[in-house]
Amino acid sequence: MEKEWKAYEIGELDQYLFGQGNHYEIYKKLGAHMVDDEGQEGVYFAVWAPNAKSVSVVGEFNDWDRTRNPMTRAEYIGIYTCFVPGVKEGMMYKFCIETITGEYHMKADPYANYAELRPGTASRITNIENLKWTDSSWMAAREKWNHKKEPMSVYEVHMGSWKRHPGTEDEGFYTYREFAKEITKYMKDMGYTHVEIMGIAEHPFDGSWGYQVTGYYAPTSRYGTPEDFAWMINYLHRNGIGVIMDWVPAHFPKDEHGLAEFDGTATYEYADPRKGEHPDWGTKIFDLGKNEVRNFLIANALFWVEHFHIDGLRVDAVASMLYLDYGKKDGEWVPNQYGGNENLEAVDFFKHLNTVVLGRNPGALMIAEESTAWPKVTGDVEDGGLGFSLKWNMGWMHDFTEYMKLDPYFRKDNHHMMTFAMSYAYSEDYILVLSHDEVVHLKCSMINKMPGLGFDKYANLKAGYAFMMGHAGKKLLFMGQDFAQLREWSEERELDWYLLEEPEHQAIQSWMRDLLHMYKKKQALYELDQSWEGFEWVNADDAYRSIYSFIRHSKDGKHNLLFVINFTPMEREDYRVGVPRKKQYKLILNSDDVKYGGNGEKRQNIYHAVKKECDGRPYSFGYKLPPYGVAVFEF
């Protein structure tokens, strides 16, 4: 008599959908799930290993003996299952894969939700079905939230090196719960809207910063349990902070316990090394031609957004997925069917991914870290686009940092570097980024990119940050740069918070805090971020004096902002700026204020435009612009 099928088991429909690449909640079936089987409590194990000769589950519950709990192969697509009674939460386990050549490999569970703390590599039994959420107000508001019309200033953070407990015997990491409380206080004070958490999925090597993932469905155990991770998200939401996490579908490491050659063959990766390996990174590339692999990744994105309430995924290394020859020499890559270098399978994958994730989760974000001129990254899928919500503006970042590094004497010859990004600013929905990548590998911290000594360095950085906050696009800044961290970032130590005892670092932090709060309060800085109507150059061509002036317009035309920024150490006693109307112009931000490290010279609050042509406009007013001075006026 055929045994009765139980709801937790892998059924024919599950296998069919998984084989088609459309089982969006496959993580509820594959992996290890605590169940009650007719009064007998235990764990139901399921793993996809299509080319394995046999599979068994081993762990603390059977003395890691591969003969004790063999798994049964389901009929269709190579899924192995078994029920093991008496297995308790917290127990460690792995899958023992017998390959077609008769070798045995011990593999961590690709769908595990919890892992042993590195250097251990086993998966752990856990139950994430009953997480406690009290963020219903946030989640309801998220459904109506539209990033195109709202402010978005992102604080990029590496949890293990933001702050650490001093003098502790272990590594001093903050737990998820401790981090949630501390980061919330900091972000509310500073005025950020979102936190972006680097590399939070389980990874074996600290030095990869979380970008070489072995446990795609597991928050890293470095900082606590999956329940602690959920508590952190819940706490941030209840305090009005959005949560973005880095997500890495581009590649995975070759660690023996991970996805590489999972069943003894190229299971998750392309079999041809010219397609399946990154020579620069020493990692494997997902085979996006396999439905089951695509399903693994798409369901994983949904897992974080739906099960853990993550508000957005910043998709790492998109360019490396789109181009078959990325980082490869001639002979190291295989052209597509038309002879081109585009990975057509990756294009199809992104369209599917973004359509499903954003279609099922209104208000969520899919953000592409994409560094090339690939068209329509944020364009609609129906119009040939990839369907992302936002794209990192790497072109702006490159031009900005190169300009800011220049001695002010040479800036007049490179004036275009700061204006060029506005020529393509509306070709995509952009986020301006000064990320962790810009302050590692001998690139210097932001403050040490600045030319000059002492005052000049800090004044340069203030001018640069003001330009960034006034420019069209959402904003992202890596931790430590908002108080002028001097050393390059390292994952091995916490930020140099002691610098905030020094007045110049306090001044940068005060400046950044006021810029962020101004950005959130003044709708001109975000309301028309995707429209030419929102940004207007007053003078984009004052190259000789290296001064930029521009206007940000509010939708109703009643709350406009005028920015004037001087990128040289030359004072302009009566800098005249053209304005559109004969109105009052109220000074709302002045870099010369004492609290920002300026001279504190007394200035009037209101400036009256007079009928005097300047910058091709009929009206203008004069303002004493100090060295590296920034002035923001509201009108």
Side-chain angles (χ1 to χ4, degrees):
M1 183 176 157
E2 193 174 318
K3 78 180 181 73
E4 186 183 346
W5 179 76
K6 300 179 178 67
Y8 59 77
E9 293 180 335
I10 300 279
E12 288 185 18
L13 180 60
D14 295 311
Q15 294 181 70
Y16 172 76
L17 290 172
F18 185 53
Q20 294 295 308
N22 298 326
H23 198 319
Y24 299 133
E25 296 182 355
I26 189 65
Y27 56 86
K28 293 182 178 178
K29 294 287 186 168
L30 291 178
H33 299 280
M34 300 180 72
V35 297
D36 188 326
D37 185 15
E38 296 176 359
Q40 193 171 34
E41 292 183 350
V43 172
Y44 181 74
F45 294 94
V47 64
W48 179 60
N51 297 307
K53 188 174 180 182
S54 72
V55 182
S56 59
V57 61
V58 298
E60 290 181 294
F61 44 84
N62 63 11
D63 299 323
W64 303 91
D65 182 348
R66 62 182 168 82
T67 65
R68 298 259 291 273
N69 294 108
M71 302 179 78
T72 303
R73 185 182 174 110
E75 200 171 332
Y76 301 106
I77 55 171
I79 291 176
Y80 288 79
T81 65
C82 71
F83 173 74
V84 184
V87 178
K88 304 293 185 194
E89 188 160 11
M91 285 184 166
M92 293 189 288
Y93 71 100
K94 281 188 177 181
F95 293 116
C96 179
I97 311 280
E98 183 187 6
T99 71
I100 47 178
T101 57
E103 297 175 321
Y104 291 94
H105 296 291
M106 300 283 271
K107 291 288 190 178
D109 179 359
Y111 288 85
N113 301 131
Y114 192 28
E116 182 185 11
L117 180 63
R118 54 97 180 93
T121 57
S123 303
R124 282 191 186 276
I125 303 295
T126 190
N127 183 2
I128 61 167
E129 290 306 307
N130 301 307
L131 301 174
K132 293 179 174 63
W133 297 102
T134 56
D135 64 347
S136 55
S137 296
W138 173 273
M139 295 301 284
R142 184 172 93 178
E143 291 184 12
K144 300 180 182 68
W145 189 77
N146 182 351
H147 70 276
K148 292 176 186 282
K149 298 175 181 175
E150 300 290 343
M152 188 175 167
S153 50
V154 182
Y155 186 49
E156 188 191 24
V157 174
H158 178 265
M159 271 189 65
S161 58
W162 184 65
K163 280 186 180 179
R164 291 191 178 182
H165 294 296
T168 49
E169 288 184 15
D170 60 13
E171 293 158 300
F173 289 145
Y174 275 41
T175 66
Y176 287 118
R177 294 175 188 242
E178 291 170 333
F179 174 79
K181 291 176 181 175
E182 285 294 308
I183 199 82
T184 293
K185 278 190 286 191
Y186 187 78
M187 289 182 63
K188 288 175 94 165
D189 172 52
M190 289 299 292
Y192 294 101
T193 65
H194 290 70
V195 61
E196 180 177 316
I197 303 173
M198 285 171 60
I200 211 69
E202 194 57 82
H203 53 284
F205 176 46
D206 288 10
S208 78
W209 311 331
Y211 293 116
Q212 295 196 9
V213 180
T214 49
Y216 274 82
Y217 285 82
T220 178
S221 56
R222 287 167 176 79
Y223 317 121
T225 66
E227 289 79 7
D228 296 330
F229 178 71
W231 191 95
M232 176 183 76
I233 308 299
N234 192 67
Y235 187 87
L236 287 160
H237 281 173
R238 286 178 63 86
N239 281 279
I241 295 169
V243 185
I244 298 164
M245 65 172 269
D246 282 0
W247 188 61
V248 192
H251 63 128
F252 56 91
K254 297 179 181 178
D255 296 61
E256 282 186 27
H257 71 285
L259 297 177
E261 297 183 354
F262 187 79
D263 62 10
T265 68
T267 315
Y268 285 88
E269 66 268 44
Y270 287 104
D272 186 336
R274 292 174 300 168
K275 292 182 75 176
E277 294 197 19
H278 272 301
D280 288 351
W281 301 338
T283 52
K284 297 282 191 179
I285 300 171
F286 282 105
D287 182 350
L288 298 175
K290 284 183 186 165
N291 288 341
E292 297 88 348
V293 174
R294 292 153 67 100
N295 202 147
F296 171 80
L297 290 169
I298 292 171
N300 184 243
L302 290 166
F303 168 78
W304 294 111
V305 172
E306 295 178 358
H307 199 84
F308 276 109
H309 295 197
I310 293 290
D311 300 298
L313 300 178
R314 174 267 195 185
V315 184
D316 184 59
V318 168
S320 76
M321 299 174 70
L322 290 173
Y323 295 96
L324 294 163
D325 59 347
Y326 186 92
K328 296 177 181 179
K329 303 184 183 78
D330 288 345
E332 293 181 345
W333 62 282
V334 183
N336 64 31
Q337 66 196 70
Y338 305 110
N341 66 343
E342 303 88 358
N343 186 338
L344 303 178
E345 291 166 349
V347 172
D348 192 50
F349 165 75
F350 283 129
K351 291 178 177 181
H352 187 175
L353 168 76
N354 292 325
T355 301
V356 171
V357 174
L358 300 177
R360 285 170 55 127
N361 300 280
L365 295 166
M366 295 295 288
I367 304 167
E369 187 221 2
E370 206 286 316
S371 53
T372 75
W374 189 283
K376 298 183 181 179
V377 172
T378 57
D380 292 339
V381 169
E382 296 82 1
D383 191 34
L386 298 183
F388 282 96
S389 316
L390 291 162
K391 171 179 169 169
W392 275 26
N393 196 335
M394 311 293 271
W396 173 87
M397 175 278 298
H398 176 267
D399 290 347
F400 174 85
T401 51
E402 289 304 305
Y403 179 88
M404 293 306 300
K405 285 189 274 188
L406 290 170
D407 183 296
Y409 178 79
F410 297 108
R411 285 179 175 165
K412 62 181 180 293
D413 301 318
N414 294 274
H415 194 75
H416 63 281
M417 294 177 79
M418 294 288 264
T419 59
F420 179 59
M422 280 310 301
S423 69
Y424 62 83
Y426 305 109
S427 60
E428 302 277 5
D429 290 346
Y430 281 117
I431 179 166
L432 308 185
V433 292
L434 295 173
S435 74
H436 66 276
D437 280 328
E438 309 325 311
V439 293
V440 290
H441 303 321
L442 305 180
K443 291 180 188 172
C444 297
S445 62
M446 285 306 298
I447 187 66
N448 279 325
K449 291 186 201 299
M450 301 299 118
L453 298 168
F455 170 83
D456 282 15
K457 274 192 176 299
Y458 293 92
N460 263 292
L461 190 59
K462 283 192 297 178
Y465 283 164
F467 186 87
M468 176 188 186
M469 296 305 285
H471 196 283
K474 308 304 179 191
K475 325 294 175 189
L476 177 144
L477 189 64
F478 183 56
M479 64 181 196
Q481 309 318 305
D482 56 6
F483 62 80
Q485 165 93 4
L486 291 171
R487 293 193 289 179
E488 280 196 337
W489 169 63
S490 167
E491 82 282 352
E492 295 179 355
R493 59 174 186 257
E494 75 166 12
L495 295 179
D496 296 332
W497 294 101
Y498 61 83
L499 290 173
L500 282 169
E501 295 169 14
E502 305 293 331
E504 57 266 40
H505 294 276
Q506 291 173 14
I508 290 287
Q509 190 185 48
S510 295
W511 178 245
M512 200 64 217
R513 181 190 291 116
D514 287 355
L515 279 172
L516 285 162
H517 281 286
M518 178 181 75
Y519 170 72
K520 274 207 306 189
K521 285 179 193 163
K522 304 298 183 184
Q523 61 262 49
L525 292 174
Y526 58 81
E527 257 185 350
L528 296 171
D529 234 358
Q530 271 78 29
S531 165
W532 282 105
E533 297 167 1
F535 184 99
E536 178 187 0
W537 286 112
V538 172
N539 192 338
D541 302 315
D542 196 352
Y544 181 75
R545 294 185 292 186
S546 298
I547 296 173
Y548 299 85
S549 50
F550 56 86
I551 293 170
R552 294 302 305 272
H553 292 286
S554 64
K555 201 169 184 179
D556 62 8
K558 296 177 181 176
H559 304 89
N560 311 293
L561 299 179
L562 166 66
F563 282 72
V564 183
I565 306 175
N566 178 9
F567 281 101
T568 73
M570 301 295 292
E571 181 177 79
R572 303 297 172 183
E573 189 68 35
D574 185 25
Y575 186 79
R576 185 153 290 275
V577 60
V579 289
R581 291 189 282 282
K582 192 177 180 181
K583 293 279 185 182
Q584 291 187 154
Y585 292 78
K586 182 182 179 184
L587 181 64
I588 62 168
L589 195 66
N590 164 30
S591 63
D592 202 32
D593 197 304
V594 172
K595 71 174 176 176
Y596 307 134
N599 290 325
E601 185 178 323
K602 189 76 176 160
R603 293 174 183 273
Q604 63 197 71
N605 278 340
I606 304 295
Y607 293 78
H608 296 276
V610 296
K611 191 165 177 56
K612 186 172 183 180
E613 194 276 333
C614 182
D615 299 323
R617 295 160 190 272
Y619 306 106
S620 62
F621 67 90
Y623 176 82
K624 186 177 180 180
L625 194 59
Y628 305 113
V630 177
V632 182
F633 303 89
E634 187 169 31
F635 67 97

